[in-house]
Amino acid sequence: MGKIVFIDFDGTIADRGVIPPQHVEAVREARRRGHRIVLCTGRPRSLVTDQDRALFDGMVGAAGGYIEVDGQVLSDRRFPAALGARVVSILDAHDVAYILEAPDAVHARPSTPARIASLMHVDRDEASTGRTGLDILGALQVADDLKAVSFSKVACFDADLPMADVASRLPAEVGFLPSSLATLGERAGELHLAEVNKSVGMRLVAEHFGVDEADVVAIGDGYNDLEMLQEAATAVVIEGAPEPVLATADLVVPPPERSGLVDAFARLGLTG
């Protein structure tokens, strides 16, 4: 049996939301050679296209909260209703521009899409095409009251305080990570169930396929990749990643705009 490779999406396999053709071919070639390639992303299923999902043997989404293999859902972890409502109340109290991410949809308040577009300096009509990495704006479902929404994770883009301070006001069951979009600064971040991370999903998928621990590879570039990289027998990190992430690396490769995944797969012997 070959190796199993867990790959982050944004900034790792995808460049601004789009998987380069060279990366598509590298994944297909590795799979032809008998290796399992699994998408392991912070994005929910609802923000990964059918075409992109079809490229992989499976998907770990919501940074470990959602797992799907061969059309079978192995795990779908959501915030308990009372905890979710408490989180939403605190975020609203601090004027946070946030989205609630679930496998079937992403949800936001009516004012949020314009705030995100302004923060990211993009045209909302262009973003809705899904070719800019901001396809989230075209997928949002908006409502005034989000307290009853079921969700796996929260992406926060702006707040009246640094997001670490807002997170400190949340219940202990909620974990916090800096945003994977470093340009948004300290008033952005991600909220997740504290016991859920990418390594949780990674272990479940590896067990599902019966892959030995020594044959597990992880490739990533952000803070939400740390546990995944630490868990893997071989950790591959993208150039320019934060220092704590780079510290886990067995191998460092270029970013997706320079076809780094092609380099990684070749050096790991996945594509010959």
Side-chain angles (χ1 to χ4, degrees):
M1 180 178 290
K3 294 187 180 295
I4 186 166
V5 185
F6 294 88
I7 306 176
D8 174 54
F9 189 78
D10 293 289
T12 300
I13 193 170
D15 177 18
R16 290 165 291 183
V18 179
I19 302 177
Q22 300 94 323
H23 283 185
V24 171
E25 182 51 37
V27 170
R28 288 175 175 166
E29 177 61 20
R31 292 182 69 190
R32 282 193 289 266
R33 291 171 177 263
H35 305 290
R36 304 279 191 180
I37 312 298
V38 179
L39 182 63
C40 197
T41 177
R43 289 189 178 215
R45 187 185 192 278
S46 51
L47 287 180
V48 180
T49 68
D50 292 343
Q51 179 180 355
D52 286 345
R53 286 199 309 274
L55 181 62
F56 301 92
D57 289 290
M59 172 183 176
V60 176
Y66 179 85
I67 303 166
E68 181 179 306
V69 178
D70 296 328
Q72 177 186 359
V73 178
L74 302 183
S75 179
D76 183 2
R77 298 281 302 275
R78 313 277 185 107
F79 277 62
L83 178 62
R86 177 64 177 152
V87 168
V88 167
S89 293
I90 292 173
L91 295 180
D92 287 343
H94 288 282
D95 193 30
V96 179
Y98 62 89
I99 61 170
L100 305 179
E101 301 177 350
D104 56 336
V106 285
H107 304 268
R109 298 178 68 199
S111 62
T112 299
R115 287 179 68 183
I116 293 175
S118 176
L119 286 163
M120 299 218 173
H121 309 290
V122 298
D123 182 272
R124 290 176 62 188
D125 292 331
E126 179 187 8
S128 67
T129 68
R131 304 301 294 176
T132 65
L134 299 175
D135 39 324
I136 179 177
L137 293 176
L140 285 175
Q141 296 185 15
V142 299
D144 289 313
D145 187 354
L146 300 175
K147 291 187 179 64
V149 170
S150 174
F151 60 92
S152 310
K153 192 167 71 73
V154 189
C156 304
F157 297 83
D158 188 35
D160 65 359
L161 292 172
M163 267 308 302
D165 291 347
V166 177
S168 71
R169 293 160 166 76
L170 295 170
E173 299 94 324
V174 181
F176 168 75
L177 287 169
S179 175
S180 56
L181 300 170
T183 57
L184 293 178
E186 64 179 7
R187 293 179 186 268
E190 298 180 358
L191 304 175
H192 58 94
L193 289 171
E195 73 272 19
V196 174
N197 60 65
K198 289 186 178 184
S199 72
V200 174
M202 187 171 118
R203 285 193 295 271
L204 188 57
V205 174
E207 290 170 5
H208 175 84
F209 284 124
V211 178
D212 291 338
E213 291 181 5
D215 291 322
V216 176
V217 178
I219 310 178
D221 75 317
Y223 285 107
N224 69 1
D225 296 317
L226 271 172
E227 291 88 357
M228 174 182 80
L229 292 162
Q230 291 165 345
E231 180 79 12
T234 303
V236 182
V237 177
I238 306 302
E239 289 177 8
E243 284 301 322
V245 181
L246 283 168
T248 69
D250 298 301
L251 180 64
V252 177
V253 298
E257 62 267 28
R258 289 164 44 210
S259 303
L261 198 67
V262 175
D263 182 25
F265 276 28
R267 293 169 69 181
L268 293 169
L270 302 175
T271 53

